[in-house]
Amino acid sequence: DIQMTQSPSSLSASVGDRVTLTCRASRGISNSLAWLQQRPGKAPKSLIYAASTLQSGVPSRFSGSGSGTDFTLTISSLQPEDFATYYCQQYNSYPRTFGQGTKVEIK
Amino acid sequence: EVQLVESGGGLVQPGGSLRLSCAASGFSFSSYWMSWVRQAPGKGLEWVATIKQDGNEKYYVDSMKGRFTISRDNAKNSLYLQMNSLRVEDTAVYYCARDGRSVVTPSCWGQGTLVTVSS
């Protein structure tokens, strides 16, 4: 199975900050990487697929990059509604696997 | 508007069975891969199973293979998860997710249904 490792596990940031989250795959997955957001008590929301393609309706302050084993999610200017937990997921092979999540908290 | 509405969760004893349903609307259900993903209380997301548009390809996480069965009824725009031999560690919120037509990763999610396995 492909292991997905996210860092950091949590971070504190302020509204307006630029934030970068990292996801690393245990072996190459090309660009078969998705990012999801989950607010407390809510269902996940898909943000990005194919490492860098925004899902419909996702604000442009979110961007993704990477290929192979190393990926990043960047939020260019953190908004109050962005405080949540973010997960990466590889879909290069089965079983699909998620990272353990990065919790973005208010400083 | 795309809607995915799960039902069928509840309290079940260890060793018991449960069938989850997901009613889909607002899109051409038969054109999309579909998946189940679960989340244990206070834990991260765990992929459970995925099924192709015509139901002829199914994939499962190893720990659930043989106990869980994913299926779909395109005529009823519905996705199902039959869960047998349930264990305490299967306690989780189960989410129905719409994948893509060819990109097999979730793009839309239901609100989830809670399954509690306890004696």
Side-chain angles (χ1 to χ4, degrees):
Chain A
D1 299 0
I2 297 175
Q3 307 302 316
M4 306 300 293
T5 304
Q6 292 185 240
S7 59
S9 297
S10 64
L11 66 89
S12 295
S14 302
V15 173
D17 283 354
R18 181 182 180 90
V19 169
T20 298
L21 285 56
T22 297
C23 176
R24 175 165 289 174
S26 60
R27 63 177 187 263
I29 59 171
S30 185
N31 69 336
S32 300
L33 191 282
W35 288 97
L36 304 94
Q37 175 194 67
Q38 188 175 35
R39 299 186 179 111
K42 300 295 186 182
K45 175 185 176 183
S46 296
L47 299 177
I48 286 171
Y49 66 96
S52 61
T53 303
L54 264 60
Q55 294 279 3
S56 176
V58 173
S60 59
R61 63 181 179 273
F62 291 94
S63 63
S65 66
S67 182
T69 60
D70 294 315
F71 302 87
T72 60
L73 172 69
T74 299
I75 309 172
S76 60
S77 178
L78 206 59
Q79 298 302 300
E81 60 269 29
D82 299 338
F83 292 94
T85 298
Y86 293 84
Y87 295 93
C88 61
Q89 185 220 19
Q90 68 79 21
Y91 55 96
N92 183 74
S93 63
Y94 291 100
R96 305 299 198 224
T97 44
F98 290 89
Q100 82 282 10
T102 293
K103 187 174 184 179
V104 177
E105 299 175 300
I106 301 173
K107 183 183 284 184
Chain B
E1 180 193 3
V2 172
Q3 279 203 317
L4 299 168
V5 180
E6 301 94 336
S7 60
L11 175 64
V12 62
Q13 292 189 336
S17 297
L18 216 52
R19 188 196 197 205
L20 305 183
S21 299
C22 172
S25 61
F27 65 100
S28 177
F29 179 75
S30 62
S31 297
Y32 290 83
W33 290 75
M34 297 293 296
S35 292
W36 289 98
V37 175
R38 72 181 185 181
Q39 187 170 38
K43 302 296 184 182
L45 299 171
E46 180 180 27
W47 172 77
V48 174
T50 292
I51 186 168
K52 194 178 179 182
Q53 289 93 330
D54 59 8
N56 287 338
E57 286 184 41
K58 303 176 184 181
Y59 302 90
Y60 301 89
V61 66
D62 281 350
S63 61
M64 297 165 218
K65 211 174 288 184
R67 298 192 301 123
F68 289 11
T69 302
I70 189 172
S71 63
R72 65 191 296 162
D73 185 335
N74 288 341
K76 294 184 177 179
N77 291 337
S78 292
L79 177 72
Y80 306 102
L81 185 68
Q82 177 66 44
M83 304 185 295
N84 299 329
S85 303
L86 282 162
R87 306 166 180 167
V88 171
E89 55 266 33
D90 294 319
T91 295
V93 175
Y94 286 73
Y95 294 103
C96 165
R98 188 193 80 174
D99 292 344
R101 295 174 188 258
S102 58
V103 177
V104 191
T105 187
S107 57
C108 300
W109 297 74
Q111 85 289 348
T113 187
L114 176 62
V115 172
T116 303
V117 185
S118 174
S119 54

